[in-house]
Amino acid sequence: MDKWWRRPCPVACLVAVLLALAHILSQPCFCLYVQGTRLAAVPARAGLPFTIQFRHSVQKTPVWENLQVEADGSLTLLSTRYQSFGVGLPFLEGEGDFREEGDYFIFDHMDRHFPQLTLRTGVGTRLTLTVAGREYRLYEQYAPGTRVDLVVLPLWRLALWRPTGN
């Protein structure tokens, strides 16, 4: 009787299945976690855009931060759009290319990189995330002070990931 590993077809099929499974499980996902619980996971690719929108806590005006996923899984802030100058809003020439469009100030080419982002819902800030055509109005679902994490992870890590720090 032949040993099973001496038969090329079953061994080749098993290797092919294992390689396919490894490939699938290594695919990156853009993940939204709230208080350590995954709310969403979107297939990620380099250039995947997403927007964080909120009301500035001091100026009480809307702010849009436009970001994208990078090939290495980091997140890059590309531009910010807002309506008034104030504390916490970009204004220095070295932070990007500044311009005015109607009632808005826009900073393009900001090129700020982050391994992941941690946000918090706030009183009246109306924190909203838009990614892959879906809008997550976090301010409607979660109390002020709720931790929100944005991170890119391989599929196999989704159930294992836990936030670190504050």
Side-chain angles (χ1 to χ4, degrees):
M1 183 151 102
D2 282 340
K3 300 287 186 196
W4 69 269
W5 60 84
R6 291 186 184 163
R7 290 183 255 153
C9 188
V11 172
C13 289
L14 179 61
V15 169
V17 167
L18 291 175
L19 288 174
L21 185 60
H23 176 73
I24 291 167
L25 292 175
S26 69
Q27 294 302 299
C29 292
F30 175 85
C31 302
L32 166 61
Y33 286 88
V34 178
Q35 293 293 93
T37 301
R38 188 177 67 249
L39 180 63
V42 174
R45 57 172 166 46
L48 175 70
F50 64 98
T51 301
I52 300 168
Q53 181 182 352
F54 59 94
R55 286 214 179 271
H56 192 277
S57 61
V58 175
Q59 302 301 318
K60 307 295 185 209
T61 57
V63 177
W64 293 265
E65 293 183 334
N66 301 301
L67 300 98
Q68 75 178 16
V69 172
E70 298 298 331
D72 66 359
S74 65
L75 309 173
T76 300
L77 175 62
L78 302 172
S79 67
T80 300
R81 178 177 164 205
Y82 54 95
Q83 284 188 312
S84 62
F85 284 110
V87 174
L89 293 168
F91 65 92
L92 297 175
E93 188 175 319
E95 292 185 306
D97 297 331
F98 178 79
R99 71 178 190 278
E100 288 184 57
E101 279 186 12
D103 294 337
Y104 295 95
F105 301 108
I106 297 173
F107 253 101
D108 277 326
H109 307 107
M110 294 182 74
D111 201 35
R112 291 188 192 171
H113 302 275
F114 307 93
Q116 66 184 50
L117 289 172
T118 298
L119 312 169
R120 297 245 179 218
T121 56
V123 175
T125 59
R126 302 177 60 110
L127 179 61
T128 304
L129 170 72
T130 304
V131 61
R134 177 128 188 239
E135 183 176 83
Y136 299 89
R137 295 179 182 184
L138 301 167
Y139 69 96
E140 290 179 347
Q141 301 171 10
Y142 302 99
T146 300
R147 181 181 173 140
V148 175
D149 292 287
L150 307 176
V151 61
V152 176
L153 300 169
L155 188 58
W156 69 267
R157 284 199 56 206
L158 294 187
L160 305 173
W161 187 84
R162 297 291 173 257
T164 58
N166 292 333

